[in-house]
Structure formats: C-alpha cells, structure tokens
C-alpha cells in the first residue's frame, strides 16, 4: 500500500516533497526574466496594442465608423502609458544600453556609441548578446523539462521520450532547428539586432535627424535620415555604393550595405522583413493546419457525406491556379479594409491559408483515417465518449506530428510565395519591408557593385526555407523510426514549393 | 441506467433473459452512392442470452459474428429488428439514454495492440469511462422503516431501487447508520448525512469528504489488481506491456463501469497459446465474481467448448445452430456445424466422425444465395427427386458449374464490361470449354484420362467430358453448355437452377427444434420427409470410400 500513497500525490505535492531542483530552475528563470524585463513588457504592450488597433480598424471597417471612440481612446491612452512604463524597465540587451549610432571626430574618437566603440563592434556586441541570451533562455527551458522528467514526472517512460531522443540525435533536424531559431530571433528582436530602427529607417525617415561629422565644415552637423539615406543609397556605381560591412559618409555602419534609393539600411530592412515573412507564414500555416486538422478528423470519423463534401471543396480550390488567385485577391482587395491590415499582410496570410489547406488536408487524411480505424476509437464510443472529445484525445495526438511536419515544410513555401508576389508588385505594399521587394529593387544591379541588394535577401530565403524543411525532416524521423536513415527527400513530406 | 429503468414498465422480468435479440439485421453500405447491394453482415438472427451465462458465437471470418457482437453493444446500428436488454429495445435509444445504457454493456476487443491508445497511461485508459460517466454518482438509498417519501440533496442523488446504491442510509434506531458500497474506496466516516424527518417525508442531505477523482483513482487501482496487474502499472504506457497484459488492461477498462453484459470479441485469438489459458481463466473468475453475462465470439472451437455454456454457429449472417455446448459438439445436427466440427482434429481417436472438406469459399454477403445460406457449399444438400441417386461425381460437377455461373453473374462488372454489355458485345467466357472439361471429367482433364484431345473440336471434347457424368444429368448439362457457348449465360444459369434445384436453394429453412434442451438448427433436413444430417453424411462418406 505504500506505493498507493506515493502515487496519489498531485504535481504540487511532489514538488513540495523535493523542492530543490524546481527552486533552482525557477530562480534561474526569474534572473533571466529580470535581465529582459523591459523587452518582455514592451513586447507584451506591442502585441496588445497591435491587437487593439486591428480590432479598431475592423470595427471601423465593419460598422462604417469608429466604434465607441471614448473607449478606444482610453484604451490607447492606457497602452501609451504602459509603453512608457515598459520603456523605463531595465533591459540588458536593448539598443539604448548598447547604442551603435554615433559620429567620429577627426581625432578618431567615436561619440555616442557604447563605450566609444566603433559602431560595428557595438552592433556586433549587441547582436551577440541578443542571440546569446536567446539560446541561454531556450536551453533553460529545456533544462526545465529535463528537471521535470527527472524529478517530478510520475511515468518513468512515455512514448514522447523516444521521439525527443531521436530528434536529439538527428543532426540535420537540429541544424534546421538552429536556423529556424535564428530566423525567429531575428524577427522577434528586429528592433534590437538592427543597426537602425524601423521607424527611423523605413516608416518615418523624415522625422528623425542624425548627427555626423562633416569634414568640409569641420563640425558636427545634423541631417534628416531621409536626406542622409538618399545620399548613401547604393546605385551600383563605385562612388554611389555602400556595400557589405561598410560605413556610409554619415558614419553609419551597414552590415549588409544599403538599398537603392531611398537608401535604407538593408539589414534593418531584412530584420523587419523577417517579421512580415514569419507573420504571414505562421498565420497562413496556422489557418491551413487548423482547417486541415479539423476537417481531417471530422471526415475520418464520420466518413461518407462529410468526406465527399470536403473532397469536392478541396478539389475545387486545387483546380484553381493558386498564384493567379492570390494576385487577383491582392488586386481586388487592395482598397478594401481587409487588404489594408498590415499593408496586405493579413490578406495574403488568409489567402495562403486557404490555398494551402487542401493539400494539407489530403496529407492528413490518410493518417486520420488510419487512426479512426483503431479499436481505441471504437472503445471510446462503446463507453459513450463524446465524438469531439474522442477526436481530440484519441485521434489528434496521432496526427499532430504530421501537422508539424507538413506545417514546417509548407511554411517555406509561403515565405517564398510571399516574396515572389511582392517581387511581382502584388503582395505586401511599401513601406512595410518584405524580402521579395528588396530582391526586386536590386534586380537591375546584380552585375554592379550593388549586387548585395538582391543576393543577400535571396540567399537568406534559401537558408530559411531549407531550415524549415530540415526541421520537418527531423520531426518526421523522430516520429516514425522506420523512416530513419532514409533518403530525406523521399517519404511523407513534400517539400514546400512556391505559391 | 436509472432513468431508463424508471421509464420501463415494471414488468421487467428479472428472471427472463438479459439480452433478447429478435429478427436483427445489420447491413453495411445501405443506400450507397449507386444504390448498390448492401453487405448483409447480419441477416436476421434471433436468440437470447440468460443472466450469468456465456454464449459462444462461432463462425468463419466474414460470417458476421463480429458485426453481431458490435451491434449488441450499439457500435453498429441495426438495420432492422430489436435488441432487448432487460426488456428495453436498445436499438431505439439515443442521446443520454444511450449513454446511460452503455454502462451496462461493454466490449473487449480482439487486438490488444489496437484497443489501447498508446499515448495514454494505463491509469488514464482505465479511468476514461469513469470520467465520461462521472462515476461514482453517489446514489443514496434510504432504508426507512416507515416507508415515507424520500428526497436526497447535497452530493448524492436518489438511488434507483433496482440498482445497488453507492451509499445506504438506514433510519431505524437512534441515528441514521451509513453504509458505503465496497467498490468505493472510502468508509462510512467520510460521508456526512443529515436527516430531517417529517411525518410523511424524509429529506436526507449527504456530503462526501472524499473527492470523486480520488475514488476513481482508487477504483482503477482495484481494477488493476482484479485483472492481475499491479498498482504501479498505473503510470506506465501500453508499449511497456506484453500482449496478454494489455488484454488485461482492456478487460479492466471494460469492467470499470461495472457492466452486466460484456461482449468478448475474440479476446484471446491475438495472444500466444501459453497466455490464452490464463486470460480465459481470468475471464471465468471475473464472471463468477461479478455475475457477468458474456457473449464470447471466437473462431477457435476448442476455446468455445472450454468456456461457453451455449454456442451459436453463424454462417453468412444467419445462426445455423444454437444450443448447449457439449450436446452441440458431440452431436451436431446442422450440416454446417457438422462440417465445421469435422474440420477440427478429433481429440478422441475412437470417435467415428470423419472429415468433411468444404468446397469453395463462402459467397459474398452482398449476394447471399437464395434459400439456405449454406446451399452453395453444403455437402449434404438435398437433391431434387430425379437426381437423388446420381453418383457423387455428377452431383459435385453440377454444383461446381452452378457456383461458377452464379459467381459470374454476381461479379462486379467494370465500366468496360458494362459498356460492352450495352453495345451488345461479347462479355462471355473465353475458355469455357476448358472449364467444362475440368469440371466434368473425373480426373480434371481429358488428357489425364488418356484421351487424345488432338483433332477434337469443342463439341466433341464436351461430349467426351460428359461421358463421366451420370446419363440422367447429361442432357440438361449439355443444353446448359450450349447456352453458355452461345453467350446466354444467364439463361444457362436459370436452366441449371430449374433442373437441379431443391428446397435448399428455393426456400429459407426454419429453425427446427432438434433436442429437448431447446437446441435449434436452421436446415430443411429436419423436415420429416428428408434424411437426418447424420444419416446423410454417413451415406456421403460411405459412397466416397
Ligand atoms: S438446408 Fe439444405 S443446404 Fe442448407 S444446410 Fe440443410 S441440407 Fe444443407
């Protein structure tokens, strides 16, 4: 009976019994959190205000007028003060702690940068700190999981353990995971890792001034960012070019060089662009996955008419030329409120989700039908389990892995598709940065010294898409040991192609 | 269950059978897209299962036995007929009535690999039914010597008089005395009862200090022990167990809701022989411990003989014979049962039953034969008067040819065949002469009989092949062959049927009572004008010698 006693303990009781490891972990988490308190608060506020403004514009669009202006006004006010508070919180790796913008006087001394370092070193330090922090944080979360498994979990083995073990020994999958983490980090910390800021570099160039040392006048001058950018734009000729790892004449450091007129910093553009790509990709894939998973389980569970209906709908969608549909939708909705949210980003995400779901559903359908045939599904029915619960408990866990595989493999396709559409002039409108636009801007200069404008975004897209595919491969092999060692291009997942 | 029984008329017969099945049919694919033939998996069965007994259900795969079992627990919906459980027709239940009834009838599945969700721990698996039904419901029975009207409030609900209550409150004596049912892992101290008595009514308020979650966990642990597993298995996953252990888990899950009736769908056929006996013993122990009623589905006849009180033999959706196990095994009355039993090696070498091999495979349940379902394969099928005395080879040839034509008539025609038929093009038999030769010659071909086929044209070949056939049957067979060669296959089939058919293929038999113990058999041979099965088989086997 002694075993009975140990087994009835709840999670809380098990922690109380042996608090050491849990305490250590929570303490570590608090320290890590404290270092980035400001960023965490800022991100939270940013998300809330983005949501609030989306709702407000939705309300405006749907009801034809501002909804309850006083309320939205007070919310906006509250958010603003929250943002101020958030900005005041300590933040180890923010740009204000390690500034990289400044000017150099003839004596070689840098003014305004972190500890008077050269801007490129200040920037490098900041980027290194951001990524370092991020990886330490993720590692700490992983350690938390290990601590839980080692000390507090009741089961000494679960089927998930095997998957985790297989994923850990899958180097191609781990490579993909690292690439994906770097990409997500770039998007999340775009304001911090960029040499400039989005507002300064893209949205509001005229509202910002910078100081620089003018050799002609021999004094420190002020110039608006707009003008400075115009003068430092890469135009492909030797004198009119700011390439990789160079300073422009205003003492600004451009790790990836500058864009063509109006001459934004390419790295900043890319970092903010990563946000768009990630957002469109994640939203599109989430829509596709939710549709595919929900319909996949319903069709597998009920079969018959439900199945036929979905087959018909998905066939219809698949028979349309998706690229044309996407272009058409961007055109038609370009002046509609839906097309204005995030400069077309949301519209694109929704359209991609709809275009991608039939394929996803078809891929999910086989596994879903298979698990619906399992006797445990019948067993659940035999004791009267509700069908929705049966699907969630007895079917979803078995197709979740497939969802992850197809999701990570298709997100690359969405990223390429978004870039492609933007390249063609549809998709995401300026000034919201999108990698495809950078490629199209640099297209005329590929044979000139300004080759970096097209090449770097192009390379990055390839790397990111490969990373997502590698992660998908890793997950697939972790889920299904039989496919281990197989040719990675064969097997379940189709690689994500263009739109 | 409680509501269910209250709705019932009080005439619910406690002594009658627990399960009574009347005219039950379960068809699949009814009203399909093209109005195709449904699969008649269960095609009209009647039987009853008494309380506490084990009824075996045997048959080849495809006989519909599993579908029948699944229909009894409402995993399939019946197309026609009724399933009376304690007098209630459960095929008409839906919604919460159906859910409540499900507690009473559970099923143990065949494949322990597939019946347990691998992503859940054993504890979660066994606990799930309890969570679904919010077990225990703390039903309170009040024992009032003055028989006043009783109302229950608080954690408890009023118990159904037909069910054993979770908590029993006895009002006699000084204070109320409380008793808790054994299946609940708590003692009476955990229950707090306050009673307010009026002259004509009593209201009882119950509060329970133990949480339902705790009781469920304890119940699951009890179940684990009951089926021969250990408490610490609670947090393990199915993959960590052997097949036999997993089947124990499946059994524990089916018992969690304390059912009265359990369908055992080939519960040991996926297990090692060494484990089978243990599981069978466990099932027997559980039956006597909990007073369970079993429907034991199996294809292994020796297992059935070991564990079942009565046996039903199923073929193509029909129950061919049903009766007491020993009696049926020792003295089968139905030709199908007879053939089936003769196929298993007789443990008693002195037994004089000889082996009968069945010809062909069972017909598709989409197109069952008319008349007796066994008529296409029955070795002792009744012959029409005129052919009663033809030799065995002739009869066999006729039956084989009929089967070939029948199958061709029922085969699934592809689009091409349909198109050809529409255009009046030939869809016919390409090598019919070869087939005829093979069917009619004693040794399988003319060559094997030493006849030189060289130079013989088709009609001559057929003429020679028919030499082996009894003269009485030659004429109609020749005519049939000519029709087939003239591409009039369906006419040919009709002719064969007209000439050689008896009651077996024309009328459905009746369920004749064949012994004092109530055994019935579905066969025309029990009519007084025909020989009994045993006699017919004796004749058959002696003629073969
Ligand atoms: S009815 Fe005829 S065919 Fe059917 S089992 Fe009896 S003898 Fe055989």
């Amino acid at each position: 009976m002694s075993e009975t006693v140990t087994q009835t303990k709840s999670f809380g009781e098990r922690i109380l019994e042996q608090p050491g490891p849990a305490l250590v972990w929570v303490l570590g988490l608090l320290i890590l959190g404290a270092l980035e308190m400001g960023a965490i608060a800022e991100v939270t506020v940013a998300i809330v205000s983005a949501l609030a403004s989306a709702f407000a514009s939705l309300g405006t669009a749907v009801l034809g007028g501002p909804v309850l202006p006083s309320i939205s006004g007070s919310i906006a006010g509250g958010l603003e003060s929250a943002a101020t508070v958030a900005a005041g919180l300590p933040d180890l790796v923010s740009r204000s702690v390690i500034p990289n913008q400044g000017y150099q006087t003839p004596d070689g001394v840098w003014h305004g940068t972190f500890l008077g370092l050269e801007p490129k070193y200040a920037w490098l330090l900041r980027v290194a700190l951001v990524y370092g922090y991020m990886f330490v944080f993720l590692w700490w979360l992983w350690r938390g999981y290990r601590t839980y498994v080692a000390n507090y979990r009741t089961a000494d083995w679960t089927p998930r353990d095997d998957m985790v073990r297989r994923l850990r020994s899958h180097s191609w999958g781990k490579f993909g995971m690292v690439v994906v983490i770097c990409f997500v980090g770039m998007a999340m910390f775009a304001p911090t890792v960029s040499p400039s800021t989005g507002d300064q570099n893209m949205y509001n160039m005229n509202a910002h001034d910078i100081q620089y040392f003018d050799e002609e006048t021999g004094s420190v001058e002020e110039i608006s960012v707009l003008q400075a950018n115009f003068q430092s734009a890469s135009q492909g000729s030797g004198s009119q070019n700011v390439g990789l790892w160079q300073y422009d004449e205003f003492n600004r450091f451009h790790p990836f060089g500058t864009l063509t007129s109006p001459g934004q910093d390419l790295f900043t553009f890319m970092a903010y662009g990563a946000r768009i790509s990630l957002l469109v990709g994640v939203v599109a894939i989430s829509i596709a996955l939710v549709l595919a998973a929900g319909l996949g389980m319903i069709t597998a569970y009920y079969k018959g008419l439900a199945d036929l209906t979905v087959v018909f709908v998905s066939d219809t969608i698949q028979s349309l030329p998706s690229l044309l549909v996407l272009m058409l939708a961007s055109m038609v909705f370009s002046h509609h409120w839906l097309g204005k949210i995030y400069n077309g980003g949301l519209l694109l995400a929704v359209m991609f989700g709809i275009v991608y779901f039939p394929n996803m559903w078809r891929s999910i359908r086989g596994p879903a039908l298979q698990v619906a045939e399992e006797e445990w599904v019948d067993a659940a029915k035999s004791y009267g389990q509700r069908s929705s619960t049966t699907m969630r408990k007895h079917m979803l866990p078995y197709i979740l892995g497939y969802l992850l595989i197809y999701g990570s493999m298709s997100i690359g396709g969405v990223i390429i598709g978004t870039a492609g559409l933007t390249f063609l002039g549809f998709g995401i409108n300026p000034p919201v940065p999108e990698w495809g636009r950078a490629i199209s801007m640099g297209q005329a200069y590929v044979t000139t010294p300004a080759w970096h404008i097209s090449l770097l975004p192009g390379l990055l897209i390839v790397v990111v898409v490969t990373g997502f595919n590698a992660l998908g491969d890793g997950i697939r092999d972790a889920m299904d040991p039989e496919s281990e060692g197989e040719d990675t291009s064969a097997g379940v997942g189709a690689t994500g192609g263009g739109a | 269950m409680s509501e269910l029984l209250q709705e019932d008329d009080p005439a619910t017969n406690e002594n009658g059978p627990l399960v009574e099945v009347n005219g039950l049919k379960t068809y699949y694919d009814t009203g399909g897209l093209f109005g195709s033939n449904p699969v008649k998996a269960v095609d009209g069965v009647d039987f009853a299962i008494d309380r506490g007994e084990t009824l075996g259900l045997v048959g080849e795969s495809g006989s519909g036995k599993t579908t029948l079992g699944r229909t009894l627990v409402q995993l399939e919906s019946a197309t026609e007929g009724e399933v009376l459980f304690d007098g209630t027709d459960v095929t008409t239940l839906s919604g919460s009535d159906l859910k409540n009834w499900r507690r009473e009838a559970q099923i143990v599945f065949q494949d322990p690999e597939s019946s347990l969700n691998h992503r859940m721990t054993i504890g979660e698996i066994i606990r799930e039914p309890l969570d679904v039904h919010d077990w225990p419901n703390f039903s309170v029975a009040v024992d009032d010597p003055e028989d006043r009207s009783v109302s229950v409030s608080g954690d408890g609900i009023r118990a159904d008089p037909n069910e054993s209550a979770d908590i029993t409150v006895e009002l006699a004596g000084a204070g109320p005395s409380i008793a808790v049912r054994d299946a609940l892992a708590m003692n009476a101290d955990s229950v707090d009862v306050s009673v307010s008595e009026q002259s004509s009514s009593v209201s009882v308020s119950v509060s329970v200090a133990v949480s339902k979650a705790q009781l469920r966990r304890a119940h699951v642990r009890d179940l684990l022990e009951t089926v021969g597993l250990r408490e610490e298995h609670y947090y393990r996953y199915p993959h960590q167990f052997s097949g036999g252990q997993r089947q124990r888990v499946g059994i524990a899950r089916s018992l969690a809701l304390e059912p009265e009736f359990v369908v055992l769908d080939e519960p040991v056929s996926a297990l090692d022989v060494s484990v089978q006996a243990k599981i069978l013993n466990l099932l027997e122990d559980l039956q006597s411990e909990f007073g369970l009623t079993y429907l034991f589905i199996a294809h292994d006849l020796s297992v059935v003989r070991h564990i079942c009180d009565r046996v039903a033999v199923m073929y193509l959706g029909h129950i061919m014979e049903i009766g007491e196990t020993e009696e049926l095994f020792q003295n089968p009355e139905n030709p199908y049962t007879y053939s089936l039993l003769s196929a298993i090696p007789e443990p008693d070498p002195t037994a004089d039953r000889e082996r009968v091999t069945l010809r062909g495979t069972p017909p598709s349940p989409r197109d069952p034969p008319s008349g007796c379902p066994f008529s296409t394969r029955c070795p002792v099928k009744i012959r029409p008067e005129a052919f009663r005395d033809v030799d065995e080879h002739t009869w066999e040839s006729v039956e084989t040819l009929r089967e070939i034509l029948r199958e061709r008539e029922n085969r699934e025609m592809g689009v091409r065949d349909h198109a050809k038929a529409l255009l009046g093009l030939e869809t016919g038999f390409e090598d019919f002469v070869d087939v005829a030769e093979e069917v009619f010659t004693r040794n399988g071909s003319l060559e094997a009989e030493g006849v030189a086929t060289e130079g013989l044209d088709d009609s001559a070949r057929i003429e020679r092949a028919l030499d082996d056939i009894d003269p009485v049957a030659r004429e109609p067979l020749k005519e049939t062959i000519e029709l087939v060669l003239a591409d009039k296959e369906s006419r040919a089939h009709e002719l064969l049927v007209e000439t050689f058919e008896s009651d077996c293929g024309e009328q459905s038999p009746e369920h004749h009572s064949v012994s004092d113990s109530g055994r019935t058999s579905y066969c025309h041979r029990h009519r007084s004008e025909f020989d009994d099965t045993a006699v017919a088989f004796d004749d058959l086997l002696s003629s073969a010698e």
Side-chain angles (χ1 to χ4, degrees):
Chain A
M1 283 312 273
S2 63
E3 244 146 5
T4 322
V5 180
T6 49
Q7 283 170 5
T8 32
K9 294 213 161 130
S10 67
F11 183 60
E13 285 169 327
R14 289 195 299 275
I15 286 191
L16 280 182
E17 189 172 88
Q18 191 197 359
L23 271 182
V24 169
W25 186 76
V26 169
L27 208 67
L29 191 71
L30 286 178
I31 292 170
L32 281 172
L35 289 176
E36 274 292 272
M37 191 92 98
I40 293 168
E42 253 173 75
V43 167
T44 317
V45 172
I47 289 171
V48 172
S49 63
L51 284 179
S53 73
F55 274 117
S57 61
L58 260 183
T60 316
V62 175
L63 302 176
V67 235
L68 304 173
S70 60
I71 290 188
S72 56
S74 68
I75 289 177
L79 283 171
E80 239 164 70
S81 55
T84 334
V85 173
L89 289 170
D91 187 353
L92 172 71
V93 296
S94 80
R95 39 189 319 119
S96 54
V97 174
I98 310 174
N100 70 315
Q101 284 174 312
Y103 55 88
Q104 190 181 29
T105 43
D107 52 5
V109 175
W110 284 91
H111 300 269
T113 64
F114 180 63
L115 302 177
L117 279 172
E118 219 186 294
K120 74 172 155 200
Y121 296 122
W123 175 78
L124 270 178
L125 179 68
R126 203 167 68 216
V127 171
L129 267 177
V130 166
Y131 276 98
Y133 178 84
M134 197 169 67
F135 278 100
V136 168
F137 191 82
L138 289 174
W139 173 75
W140 197 250
L141 289 183
W142 167 244
R143 233 203 81 150
Y145 172 71
R146 308 284 298 174
T147 310
Y148 164 70
V149 169
N151 297 298
Y152 305 112
R153 194 170 70 181
T154 39
D156 47 8
W157 177 89
T158 77
R160 209 187 315 118
D161 289 358
D162 282 357
M163 286 181 212
V164 171
R165 181 177 49 74
R166 284 193 290 263
L167 189 62
R168 284 186 74 191
S169 59
H170 194 282
S171 14
W172 179 235
K174 278 193 294 185
F175 160 76
M177 197 184 281
V178 170
V179 170
V180 169
I181 290 172
C182 289
F183 172 67
V184 173
M186 188 175 181
M188 263 174 58
F189 296 101
T192 318
V193 296
S194 307
S196 180
T197 68
D199 201 46
Q200 198 182 68
N201 194 44
M202 280 156 309
Y203 300 115
N204 250 331
M205 291 190 266
N206 221 358
H208 292 269
D209 290 331
I210 51 163
Q211 289 184 319
Y212 72 103
F213 185 81
D214 192 331
E215 279 166 19
E216 281 169 30
T217 58
S219 62
V220 176
E221 303 278 335
E222 285 217 348
I223 185 171
S224 85
V225 173
L226 185 69
Q227 279 183 8
N229 278 358
F230 261 120
Q231 290 175 41
S232 60
S234 295
Q235 305 286 11
S237 66
S239 59
Q240 267 295 341
N241 189 48
V242 181
L244 278 188
W245 220 249
Q246 284 179 0
Y247 288 92
D248 64 16
E249 57 216 82
F250 303 101
N251 300 134
R252 296 183 301 178
F253 175 64
H254 299 289
F256 281 6
T258 61
L259 280 164
T260 170
S261 173
Q264 293 118 321
D265 174 61
L266 181 57
F267 192 95
T268 309
F269 188 94
M270 300 279 299
Y272 281 83
R275 287 188 155 186
I276 313 298
S277 299
L278 189 66
L279 183 97
V280 173
V282 166
V283 172
I285 294 301
S286 310
I287 291 174
L289 285 181
V290 168
L291 280 175
L295 290 173
M297 286 193 292
I298 288 170
T299 54
Y301 189 83
Y302 293 108
K303 304 187 179 75
L305 194 62
D307 200 31
L308 273 179
T309 316
V310 181
V311 167
F312 179 74
V313 171
S314 78
D315 274 355
T316 313
I317 294 177
Q318 282 193 309
S319 67
L320 301 170
S322 48
L323 194 62
L324 286 179
V325 171
L326 283 164
M327 290 207 262
L328 199 70
S330 321
M331 292 288 293
V332 170
F333 285 100
S334 60
H335 296 292
H336 191 260
W337 58 269
L338 189 59
K340 290 202 171 121
I341 298 175
Y342 226 24
N343 285 31
L346 184 72
L347 174 72
L348 214 57
V350 172
M351 291 303 297
F352 267 115
I354 292 171
V355 166
Y356 265 66
F357 111 81
N359 222 339
M360 207 87 88
W361 170 71
R362 262 162 215 280
S363 316
I364 298 298
R365 189 165 171 254
L369 280 171
Q370 215 175 344
V371 63
E373 289 303 310
E374 297 281 3
E375 278 174 349
W376 67 72
V377 174
D378 278 338
K381 192 177 170 192
S382 81
Y383 45 72
Q385 183 61 281
R386 264 185 321 211
S387 42
S388 57
T389 316
T390 304
M391 287 185 220
R392 183 170 47 76
K393 236 174 138 173
H394 298 296
M395 293 171 67
L396 186 60
Y398 292 86
I399 58 172
L400 201 65
Y402 293 93
L403 292 174
L404 285 178
I405 296 170
Y406 296 117
S408 65
M409 292 207 168
S410 317
I411 202 167
V414 176
I415 291 173
I416 292 183
T418 313
L421 281 174
T422 313
F423 176 86
L424 294 173
F426 305 95
I428 307 223
N429 305 315
V432 174
E434 215 292 324
W435 294 4
R437 187 147 6 86
I439 299 178
S440 99
M441 282 163 93
Q443 205 191 5
Y445 304 99
V446 275
T447 56
T448 70
W451 47 264
H452 60 268
I453 302 177
S454 276
L455 189 72
L456 286 177
L459 272 179
L460 229 59
I461 287 180
V462 171
V463 170
V464 167
V465 171
T466 312
F468 274 112
N469 277 323
L471 180 61
D473 269 338
I475 299 173
R476 184 187 61 203
D477 292 346
M479 260 186 32
D480 175 14
E482 262 110 83
S483 73
E484 228 166 349
E486 244 182 27
D487 178 10
T488 45
S489 65
V492 267
T495 46
Chain B
M1 192 62 205
S2 47
E3 293 160 50
L4 210 79
L5 282 173
Q6 279 160 4
E7 283 164 16
D8 261 358
D9 60 356
T12 309
N13 35 353
E14 276 294 318
N15 303 316
L18 179 66
V19 181
E20 199 181 327
V21 176
N22 296 321
L24 186 71
K25 294 184 179 177
T26 306
Y27 291 178
Y28 291 121
D29 297 347
T30 44
L33 208 47
F34 307 107
S36 58
N37 266 350
V39 174
K40 301 178 180 86
V42 178
D43 202 9
V45 301
D46 308 84
F47 63 91
I49 311 176
D50 284 333
R51 283 162 211 281
E53 88 165 335
T54 303
L55 175 68
L57 186 60
V58 295
E60 295 161 285
S61 51
S63 59
K65 56 185 193 301
T66 293
T67 308
L68 176 55
R70 289 169 58 96
T71 312
L72 291 197
V73 294
Q74 291 297 296
L75 277 178
E76 309 288 344
S77 41
T79 313
E80 228 182 279
E82 53 180 15
V83 176
L84 299 179
F85 190 92
D86 251 342
T88 312
D89 183 5
V90 298
T91 60
T92 58
L93 295 181
S94 62
S96 61
D97 287 345
L98 178 61
K99 186 175 162 186
N100 283 331
W101 171 75
R102 285 190 185 285
R103 295 172 53 173
E104 303 298 329
Q106 287 288 305
I107 180 166
V108 174
F109 292 93
Q110 174 180 5
D111 181 7
E113 179 70 36
S114 165
S115 64
L116 309 178
N117 187 340
H118 322 315
R119 308 280 170 98
M120 284 164 75
T121 61
I122 300 305
E124 287 166 348
I125 289 170
I126 302 176
R127 208 186 125 156
E128 193 179 359
L130 302 175
D131 292 336
V132 169
H133 287 272
D134 200 23
W135 184 100
N137 55 11
F138 293 137
S139 55
V140 179
V142 179
D143 231 350
D144 179 17
E146 290 164 44
D147 235 356
R148 290 164 291 191
S149 76
V150 175
S151 66
V152 175
S153 60
D155 293 338
I157 58 161
R158 234 192 112 188
D160 190 297
N162 295 321
E163 298 245 307
S164 53
D166 288 343
I167 298 163
T168 309
V169 180
E170 216 181 305
L171 292 181
S177 67
I178 304 159
V180 174
R181 196 159 63 98
D182 282 349
L184 269 54
M186 61 178 187
N187 45 33
D189 304 344
S190 317
V191 184
D192 201 21
V193 173
S194 64
V195 180
S196 72
E197 296 184 59
Q198 265 88 44
S199 56
S200 64
S201 67
V202 188
S203 61
V204 179
S205 169
V206 178
S207 80
V208 180
V210 186
S211 77
K212 284 189 176 185
Q214 259 171 319
L215 290 173
R216 283 179 207 162
R217 273 199 294 270
H219 184 50
V220 171
R221 256 182 247 111
D222 280 349
L223 282 166
L224 282 173
E225 268 183 11
T226 310
V227 299
L229 295 169
R230 290 198 306 277
E231 287 181 8
E232 66 262 32
H233 291 152
Y234 193 104
Y235 291 108
R236 304 244 173 102
Y237 284 83
H239 273 312
Q240 294 165 291
F241 291 93
S242 69
Q245 285 176 312
R246 277 186 232 175
Q247 198 57 299
R248 288 173 193 267
V249 176
I251 292 168
R253 175 178 59 189
S254 72
L255 296 182
L257 291 168
E258 305 163 83
E260 280 186 71
F261 175 56
V262 181
V263 171
L264 305 162
D265 184 7
E266 306 201 29
V268 296
S269 64
L271 306 178
D272 279 355
V273 182
S274 58
V275 186
Q276 287 190 355
K278 288 189 195 159
I279 299 290
L280 290 175
N281 288 338
L282 170 69
L283 288 169
E284 286 187 312
D285 292 348
L286 293 172
Q287 180 170 39
S288 50
E289 187 177 344
F290 299 111
L292 299 170
T293 305
Y294 286 154
L295 177 73
F296 188 96
I297 301 171
H299 62 238
D300 184 339
L301 293 168
S302 56
V303 168
V304 168
R305 193 171 190 172
H306 172 72
I307 198 170
C308 298
D309 303 317
R310 287 194 307 140
V311 185
V313 181
M314 235 181 138
Y315 183 79
L316 220 58
H318 291 268
I319 289 185
M320 302 301 288
E321 186 167 7
I322 177 169
E324 307 269 317
T325 309
E326 258 329 288
E327 201 188 298
L328 185 141
F329 269 78
Q330 269 168 12
N331 181 20
E333 286 286 354
N334 189 282
Y336 178 63
T337 319
Y338 195 102
S339 322
L340 203 64
L341 289 177
S342 83
I344 51 168
E346 186 62 45
D348 173 11
T350 59
D352 57 352
R353 201 186 303 140
E354 284 175 68
R355 299 188 68 138
V356 188
T357 36
L358 285 182
R359 145 171 50 79
T361 48
S364 148
R366 266 185 212 281
D367 305 291
S370 54
C372 167
F374 193 43
S375 62
T376 56
R377 296 171 78 204
C378 180
V380 294
K381 185 176 167 183
I382 298 163
R383 303 174 190 178
E385 206 74 56
F387 303 99
R388 205 146 282 180
D389 297 320
V390 298
D391 62 291
E392 212 34 55
H393 167 69
T394 302
W395 187 250
E396 185 109 341
S397 306
V398 169
E399 287 291 309
T400 312
L401 185 63
R402 274 188 62 178
E403 193 50 24
I404 291 173
L405 292 181
R406 202 184 93 86
E407 264 175 23
R408 282 183 58 84
E409 207 155 87
N410 290 331
R411 87 204 130 141
E412 302 264 314
M413 286 219 281
V415 178
R416 187 126 57 98
D417 296 325
H418 277 297
K420 272 188 175 173
L422 276 179
L423 294 170
L425 292 175
E426 156 166 25
T427 57
F429 231 130
E430 264 132 51
D431 322 304
F432 184 68
V433 178
D434 291 346
V435 173
E437 187 184 308
E438 190 187 323
V439 170
F440 293 124
T441 51
R442 260 179 214 282
N443 298 335
S445 76
L446 287 173
E447 245 164 90
E449 300 193 344
V451 179
T453 48
E454 212 124 314
L456 286 182
D457 66 356
D458 285 355
S459 57
R461 267 171 74 190
I462 286 166
E463 202 74 46
R464 290 286 293 112
L466 284 175
D467 276 354
D468 286 353
I469 296 292
D470 195 300
V472 196
R474 253 180 233 164
E475 232 5 82
L477 282 176
K478 212 168 140 188
E479 214 178 308
T480 312
I481 293 167
E482 275 158 11
L483 282 169
V484 174
L485 290 175
D487 263 333
K488 290 179 184 143
E489 260 180 62
S490 49
R491 181 67 205 106
H493 188 203
E494 268 168 42
L495 178 72
L496 266 190
V497 172
E498 273 164 27
T499 322
F500 295 99
E501 195 46 279
S502 66
D503 283 355
C504 285
E506 280 165 356
Q507 302 172 9
S508 299
E510 272 167 42
H511 292 276
H512 296 271
S513 172
V514 291
S515 86
D516 301 335
S517 61
R519 179 147 58 111
T520 63
S521 165
Y522 187 65
C523 175
H524 287 304
R525 284 217 169 261
H526 304 300
R527 277 157 49 186
S528 53
E529 64 261 43
F530 301 118
D531 284 345
D532 264 359
T533 310
V535 177
F537 270 104
D538 280 349
D539 284 352
L540 173 74
L541 293 167
S542 59
S543 76
E545 270 158 19

